[in-house]
Amino acid sequence: MSVRTFEGRRWLFPSAVIHELDPGPGAAGRRPRRTARDWLVDFSCFVLAVLLGVTAAKTVWQDPHVSHGLAVTDQLVGGLACAAVWLRRRRPMGLAIAMIPVSLVSDTAGGAAMVALFTVVVHRPFRYGAWIVGANLAATPFFYWLRPDPDLPYLAVVALVTLFILLVTSLALFVRSKRQLMLSLRDRARRAETEAGLRAERAQRLAREAIAREMHDVLAHRLTLLSVHAGALEFRPDAPREEIARAAGVIRESAHEALQDLREIIGVLRAADGDEAGGCPQPTLGALEALVGESRQAGMKVVLDNHVGDPSAVPASVGRTAYRIAQEGLTNARKHAPGAEVTVRVTGAPGDGLDVTVHNPAPEAEAPHVPGSGQGLIGLTERATLAGGRLEHRATGDGGFEVRAWLPWGAA
């Protein structure tokens, strides 16, 4: 999944931050281009180094212990150090290391040395910055021991310069921590966006699996009716005209209902929100009698033993799951035990749960093997588990088969 590129006014941000947030294609191993803000900061650092160098140069000229030649050399080296500030982004570590011996021989290079120290602490790992800071702190007493300040005592000037180095280091650490916080927030946003995408994909996958189960439960029932009556017409071409007409009517009605169910499922699949409310109403426990009547019209022997007085009181999700369990049980009985009497029993009350049992005895004759058998029971088990219940299926002692499920029905 693609992550959104950097948004905002790029010229207001450091190039290093933009490079981390939005590297762009082919950016690996390539130094980021300076933004307008980078040019402004670099120019400000150069001006600051020059101003500090000029201030130090005045002190050098007024120092009676410094010869004219040494003062000129001091200023010349300091000018070169100020010009080298423009290399601080390209070679920050090399510039900071070079400034340590330079600052020992040139007082006017002190400003450039502080800029180089600041750059290393901001842009390089802490261990490198710590070495540079430590080297500058160690060089300070040695420098003022060689070239004492004409106006301040030795300990006072060493303490002031040490405090100034620590102040620059603290400012650099603050800038570094602010940038790291920005990068960490951006990284967290990227991870959150990625996780949101994964959650959306998982939700879509679960929705597709639910639709697949729904298609199996609905279409298997309809197509089984078609198969039974088409087989009857094939093997009983001499049947009475009324029986042939009734079987043909059932085939036509089952085909029409199968197409209608398929349209409903595709309508739910095409819905923008994927919610069941966006499609046609789904059957609940109240439609169980119609399901049994439809099976009886198809020639099945079905006994409905419903002890739930008010099916509308059953929660819609529980009633829908119970309906699908009964539907799949009737479909399996029709395929594997044709001619056997099937008993559908529903009992339950609020707080106790809903029990659904579909039982059929041994078939009168051996039924042909049906490819893909057992997939519907796997789907029903998963459906019952998702609803918070359980489902069991087993062969009975009389050679029959039984599907028993329990679904939660909370107290009113």
Side-chain angles (χ1 to χ4, degrees):
M1 185 185 65
S2 61
V3 182
R4 293 177 297 176
T5 57
F6 179 80
E7 298 178 356
R9 299 179 180 179
R10 302 176 72 95
W11 63 274
L12 285 175
F13 291 85
S15 58
V17 173
I18 296 178
H19 182 73
E20 291 290 337
L21 296 179
D22 183 20
R30 181 165 55 88
R31 188 170 59 88
R33 296 180 58 182
R34 298 184 189 183
T35 62
R37 179 189 180 280
D38 290 339
W39 285 105
L40 180 61
V41 171
D42 290 345
F43 181 76
S44 301
C45 290
F46 173 74
V47 172
L48 179 62
V50 170
L51 291 178
L52 293 176
V54 170
T55 303
K58 292 181 179 179
T59 304
V60 171
W61 280 111
Q62 296 173 1
D63 190 351
H65 301 92
V66 178
S67 63
H68 177 75
L70 184 58
V72 172
T73 303
D74 189 302
Q75 295 180 27
L76 179 60
V77 174
L80 293 175
C82 292
V85 167
W86 289 100
L87 300 175
R88 72 185 191 95
R89 293 185 184 274
R90 186 183 297 272
R91 298 286 187 269
M93 195 66 188
L95 179 63
I97 294 175
M99 285 296 110
I100 295 174
V102 168
S103 61
L104 288 176
V105 299
S106 175
D107 200 3
T108 55
M114 290 300 99
V115 172
L117 183 147
F118 178 88
T119 305
V120 168
V121 175
V122 171
H123 294 281
R124 290 296 179 263
F126 179 77
R127 61 181 182 275
Y128 298 123
W131 278 106
I132 298 299
V133 172
N136 279 273
L137 291 176
T140 297
F142 183 69
F143 173 79
Y144 287 102
W145 179 72
L146 293 175
R147 298 174 60 177
D149 189 275
D151 299 325
L152 295 175
Y154 173 76
L155 293 179
V157 70
V158 169
L160 287 176
V161 174
T162 300
L163 182 62
F164 182 72
I165 293 174
L166 294 178
L167 180 62
V168 172
T169 303
S170 301
L171 180 61
L173 289 175
F174 172 76
V175 174
R176 178 183 178 84
S177 63
K178 186 177 179 181
R179 290 188 178 185
Q180 289 179 341
L181 176 62
M182 183 185 299
L183 295 175
S184 65
L185 291 176
R186 177 62 177 178
D187 183 64
R188 186 180 303 175
R190 286 181 174 178
R191 288 200 302 268
E193 187 175 354
T194 303
E195 291 173 0
L198 293 176
R199 286 194 298 268
E201 293 177 1
R202 182 175 181 272
Q204 291 176 355
R205 185 175 66 255
L206 293 177
R208 293 191 186 101
E209 293 175 357
I211 291 173
R213 289 193 299 268
E214 201 74 18
M215 290 180 66
H216 177 275
D217 295 342
V218 173
L219 295 181
H221 178 74
R222 305 296 183 191
L223 296 179
T224 301
L225 291 178
L226 287 173
S227 177
V228 169
H229 288 280
L233 291 178
E234 180 182 2
F235 292 105
R236 291 289 306 278
D238 56 343
R241 181 182 300 272
E242 293 78 8
E243 185 176 344
I244 294 177
R246 184 174 64 84
V250 173
I251 291 175
R252 179 185 59 80
E253 184 66 23
S254 298
H256 174 74
E257 292 178 354
L259 289 175
Q260 184 65 27
D261 291 335
L262 185 59
R263 290 192 189 98
E264 294 176 5
I265 294 172
I266 293 176
V268 174
L269 184 61
R270 290 177 176 174
D273 55 359
D275 194 353
E276 289 182 354
C280 298
Q282 298 293 313
T284 56
L285 193 63
L288 188 58
E289 292 186 3
L291 175 67
V292 171
E294 183 182 82
S295 299
R296 288 169 178 167
Q297 288 181 1
M300 289 187 67
K301 302 174 184 178
V302 184
V303 176
L304 177 61
D305 187 13
N306 191 353
H307 293 272
V308 179
D310 185 10
S312 61
V314 180
S317 60
V318 176
R320 181 163 54 252
T321 303
Y323 178 92
R324 294 305 183 195
I325 292 173
Q327 185 183 54
E328 181 66 22
L330 291 173
T331 301
N332 288 338
R334 188 181 301 115
K335 290 191 296 185
H336 303 291
E341 183 179 81
V342 184
T343 302
V344 179
R345 188 169 187 269
V346 182
T347 60
D352 296 332
L354 190 69
D355 290 289
V356 182
T357 304
V358 181
H359 171 77
N360 63 269
E364 298 176 356
E366 185 177 356
H369 175 70
V370 180
S373 299
Q375 298 300 318
L377 293 175
I378 295 175
L380 286 183
T381 303
E382 183 180 359
R383 182 190 288 269
T385 302
L386 291 176
R390 58 183 179 273
L391 184 139
E392 300 174 353
H393 51 85
R394 62 183 182 89
T396 58
D398 58 357
F401 195 80
E402 182 179 79
V403 177
R404 181 185 297 273
W406 177 86
L407 301 173
W409 183 1

